[in-house]
Amino acid sequence: MKKLYFFSGLGADRSTFNRLKLYQAFEYVYVDWLIPEKKESLSSYCTRLIEKYHIIKGQIYIGLSFGGIIASEIDKQQKADLIILISSISQRSEKPPYLKFVNFFKLNYLIPKKQLTKSNIIIHNKMGAESELDKKRLNSILEKSDYLFTRWAINKMVSWRNNIIPDNIIRINGDKDKVFPLKNINSQYIIKGGTHFIVWNRANELSEIINKYLSQYVSY
């Protein structure tokens, strides 16, 4: 049975994917984030994930936001049959200007701890959490996030320099995403009115698109 690996967003956990309704003809593997080692590289971190979760080539990766970056990096070590990126980017040139600005001036090191673990109106707006249920869900994600991982992940995201795009990649983005604006991304699927939170508040549409590609690996 082919394995379907899920890589959640920055600070998020496996429950972020709870609303997706995907084919059950796979072994689902939800990758929980490890605490990064001191000054650990992205490549080294991905190697540890590969070892812990026994990731081998020929599987399927679904990466959400920062998880898409991780999935793309793991693919360099263990080639996937299919990579599906949700609200994410696949290469350096797709990073929005504000992230390049943050990286150039090293502003990511100035973010206070409480801003990484507590939600507020600015984060709600940026992430596209519109309803009270969305906001409650986002608050829960941030409160459970690990500060050390979140700090490390932000640093790796803003400094990511990847220029290699896998041939087997499918990108799904919302046209109202403020974290990774669509204008910078060559996405195959655009969800109208979708924000960075489409995995939660547009899960039905997302599931339909993903199942379209998963179906080719299902034996009837």
Side-chain angles (χ1 to χ4, degrees):
M1 180 180 292
K2 190 177 291 292
K3 292 184 178 180
L4 186 55
Y5 289 90
F6 293 85
F7 302 90
S8 60
L10 192 155
D13 59 23
R14 63 179 65 191
S15 64
T16 311
F17 298 105
N18 281 353
R19 287 190 170 185
L20 293 181
K21 298 177 181 178
L22 307 180
Y23 282 113
Q24 297 297 309
F26 303 90
E27 179 182 344
Y28 284 15
V29 181
Y30 294 94
V31 176
D32 295 322
W33 298 129
L34 305 174
I35 300 301
E37 297 175 350
K38 188 175 182 179
K39 296 183 179 180
E40 185 168 24
S41 68
L42 197 57
S43 176
S44 174
Y45 185 84
C46 288
T47 297
R48 288 205 292 133
L49 287 178
I50 289 170
E51 292 173 350
K52 178 174 181 178
Y53 290 93
H54 308 292
I55 302 175
I56 60 175
K57 64 180 181 180
Q59 307 307 310
I60 299 174
Y61 307 153
I62 295 182
L64 168 66
S65 191
F66 178 72
I69 291 176
I70 292 293
S72 296
E73 288 294 319
I74 285 181
D75 184 69
K76 294 177 182 178
Q77 299 184 44
Q78 295 292 346
K79 193 70 176 177
D81 276 358
L82 176 66
I83 303 175
I84 298 176
L85 302 187
I86 304 168
S87 302
S88 190
I89 56 176
S90 60
Q91 61 177 321
R92 175 186 182 183
S93 64
E94 293 177 343
K95 288 196 298 185
Y98 79 86
L99 282 187
K100 297 176 184 178
F101 179 84
V102 167
N103 184 50
F104 183 82
F105 289 102
K106 306 302 179 183
L107 300 180
N108 45 301
Y109 293 99
L110 302 179
I111 305 174
K113 182 177 180 178
K114 65 179 181 179
Q115 293 297 324
L116 297 179
T117 56
K118 296 291 183 180
S119 189
N120 56 55
I121 190 172
I122 296 176
I123 294 178
H124 289 163
N125 180 267
K126 194 76 171 178
M127 294 292 292
E130 299 169 338
S131 69
E132 289 304 314
L133 184 60
D134 289 350
K135 294 174 184 178
K136 183 178 180 180
R137 176 59 188 155
L138 183 56
N139 292 345
S140 175
I141 289 173
L142 292 176
E143 288 172 0
K144 291 187 295 183
S145 64
D146 181 89
Y147 168 72
L148 291 177
F149 170 78
T150 302
R151 172 72 73 183
W152 174 86
I154 289 176
N155 294 342
K156 296 306 176 184
M157 181 174 66
V158 301
S159 62
W160 196 44
R161 303 178 66 84
N162 177 60
N163 291 314
I164 301 174
I165 305 178
D167 297 329
N168 53 343
I169 197 167
I170 300 298
R171 282 161 287 196
I172 310 171
N173 300 81
D175 65 352
K176 301 299 181 182
D177 193 322
K178 295 181 180 179
V179 176
F180 294 128
L182 186 63
K183 65 180 180 180
N184 301 299
I185 303 171
N186 183 26
S187 184
Q188 293 99 322
Y189 290 92
I190 302 170
I191 294 183
K192 299 296 182 181
T195 66
H196 197 66
F197 219 38
I198 56 175
V199 71
W200 184 256
N201 55 28
R202 303 294 286 274
N204 288 339
E205 296 166 68
L206 200 57
S207 298
E208 185 176 345
I209 296 171
I210 295 174
N211 279 329
K212 175 182 177 181
Y213 288 90
L214 293 183
S215 64
Q216 62 186 302
Y217 300 99
V218 175
S219 298
Y220 296 96

